[in-house]
Amino acid sequence: RTPRLCNYIADFDSDPDLSSYEPTAAVRVLEFDREVPTATKRGPHMAGVEVALWDCSGDEKYSACWPAILANVTGVLLVFNPETPSHEREAARWYGAFVKKLGLGEGQVLLVAHHKEARASDTPTAAPPALAQFPVVDSSFEDPRAMADLRTR
């Protein structure tokens, strides 16, 4: 579901169509501007940043092109469905292919636990064991509060 999630983060789609799904083929780039909080000697304020969000397919058949997109990466979102057991293994594989290879630190990685349905619990999803050092944010198109939290990260 990353194409819809990336469109939402980039403010390209505030009401995603959930009736159909087309997975990302290889990679696509979404460019947008965002105001983010920052701290300076004069105190906190908002600063404008330019974002190039690369929506990279997690499909193994595109893994040969993953090294080509690593240049100038400053952060990674790893999206997984915590209700699908194989996604923990896939997230660990993406960690090795992107995060570990780039030497990214905790502040440069965000795990997105994307749920198909709104969650009944307010307890945050735990990170897969191999990725426990990174923060996790829950998301679901069925839960506007969770989606708003994702946009502010």
Side-chain angles (χ1 to χ4, degrees), residues 18-84:
L18 303 178
S19 63
S20 65
Y21 171 66
E22 291 185 37
T24 302
V27 67
R28 68 187 183 114
V29 181
L30 293 86
E31 296 180 315
F32 57 97
D33 296 323
R34 183 63 47 95
E35 292 286 315
V36 297
T38 187
T40 65
K41 291 179 183 177
R42 292 177 285 171
H45 72 281
M46 299 299 282
V49 296
E50 294 178 356
V51 178
L53 178 61
W54 291 53
D55 177 10
C56 176
S57 173
D59 191 323
E60 187 68 33
K61 70 182 177 184
Y62 298 113
S63 64
C65 72
W66 292 350
I69 66 171
L70 295 178
N72 301 318
V73 171
T74 57
V76 172
L77 298 174
L78 293 178
V79 180
F80 69 102
N81 179 340
E83 286 93 25
T84 304

Side-chain angles (χ1 to χ4, degrees), residues 80 88-89 92 111 126-134:
F80 69 102
E88 285 193 13
R89 286 189 310 279
L111 303 177
L131 306 172
Q133 70 271 33
F134 301 112

Side-chain angles (χ1 to χ4, degrees), residues 82-137:
E83 286 93 25
T84 304
S86 66
H87 280 207
E88 285 193 13
R89 286 189 310 279
E90 290 177 21
R93 187 180 82 231
W94 301 327
Y95 166 80
F98 295 97
V99 178
K100 189 173 181 180
K101 190 170 282 191
L102 292 165
L104 298 178
E106 184 177 317
Q108 295 172 285
V109 179
L110 181 63
L111 303 177
V112 180
H114 189 69
H115 305 267
K116 289 184 180 182
E117 305 291 328
R119 299 182 63 228
S121 170
D122 284 336
T123 304
T125 299
L131 306 172
Q133 70 271 33
F134 301 112
V136 178
V137 62

